[in-house]
Amino acid sequence: MIIRNTLLAAGAMLFSSVLLAQPQASIDQLDWMTGNWAGMLGPNQLEENWIATEGSSIAAMVRMTGNGSTSMFEMITIEEANGSLVLHIQQFDPGFEARTEAPQEMILEEITANSVKFRAVSEGGMSTLGYSHPDADSFIIHVGRPDGSTLDIPLQARSLW
């Protein structure tokens, strides 16, 4: 019993120290993400639609299409929490069938005027996820894989109207 309580206390301290290490940030620092972005990912098109920050959050609907069909939908939310930012992401197959039981959770690791990076704190397909906006027409997704490799997905601004 004492060992179990000691382990629980140590885990809680470690978890809280991880949360305390997060950079301070507000959702308004991510206004640059707003827009419609699209690019090729192999033979498929990846499209991200980020809606403007409001109510301490920003969200995106993502769609992957190719060969006349949709192969994946993804929902991303970033919310203010404890003076920093938390990202939740979940992918769906057509028919809105969730690919995982629960969304993956990530906490803010770093933020600049035109980039943001999150680190996974729950199980999922990514160890990190970041975004950068090097110029008015470019938006890059930076996917950190569990094996330590990184995949950068360049997208371009486009207008739907």
Side-chain angles (χ1 to χ4, degrees):
M1 182 72 141
I2 293 173
I3 293 172
R4 181 183 65 94
N5 289 343
T6 302
L7 289 174
L8 287 173
M13 286 175 35
L14 177 63
F15 183 72
S16 62
S17 69
V18 166
L19 290 178
L20 291 175
Q22 286 182 259
Q24 295 291 299
S26 77
I27 204 67
D28 295 330
Q29 291 174 260
L30 300 181
D31 281 337
W32 55 266
M33 295 176 77
T34 301
N36 178 263
W37 310 95
M40 298 307 291
L41 183 58
N44 298 309
Q45 177 177 267
L46 185 69
E47 171 188 14
E48 294 213 355
N49 297 286
W50 286 90
I51 57 173
T53 60
E54 188 172 331
S56 300
S57 70
I58 188 171
M61 182 66 200
V62 180
R63 175 174 57 184
M64 187 179 303
T65 57
N67 290 331
S69 66
T70 299
S71 59
M72 186 268 300
F73 295 100
E74 182 177 79
M75 183 69 194
I76 305 168
T77 62
I78 302 173
E79 301 168 89
E80 286 184 17
N82 301 315
S84 193
L85 302 174
V86 176
L87 179 146
H88 291 95
I89 184 169
Q90 180 139 20
Q91 294 182 339
F92 302 87
D93 288 325
F96 212 60
E97 295 291 326
R99 291 184 173 185
T100 58
E101 279 189 41
Q104 185 173 17
E105 182 174 339
M106 300 182 155
I107 59 173
L108 184 64
E109 186 169 274
E110 60 187 60
I111 189 166
T112 71
N114 66 345
S115 70
V116 64
K117 182 179 180 183
F118 295 89
R119 174 175 36 91
V121 292
S122 69
E123 293 295 317
M126 297 173 277
S127 57
T128 62
L129 180 61
Y131 302 92
S132 62
H133 188 42
D135 60 59
D137 293 324
S138 300
F139 187 88
I140 304 170
I141 306 167
H142 308 280
V143 179
R145 298 175 174 166
D147 68 5
S149 65
T150 307
L151 172 65
D152 290 339
I153 306 168
L155 306 178
Q156 294 297 307
R158 70 177 191 170
S159 176
L160 298 176
W161 300 275

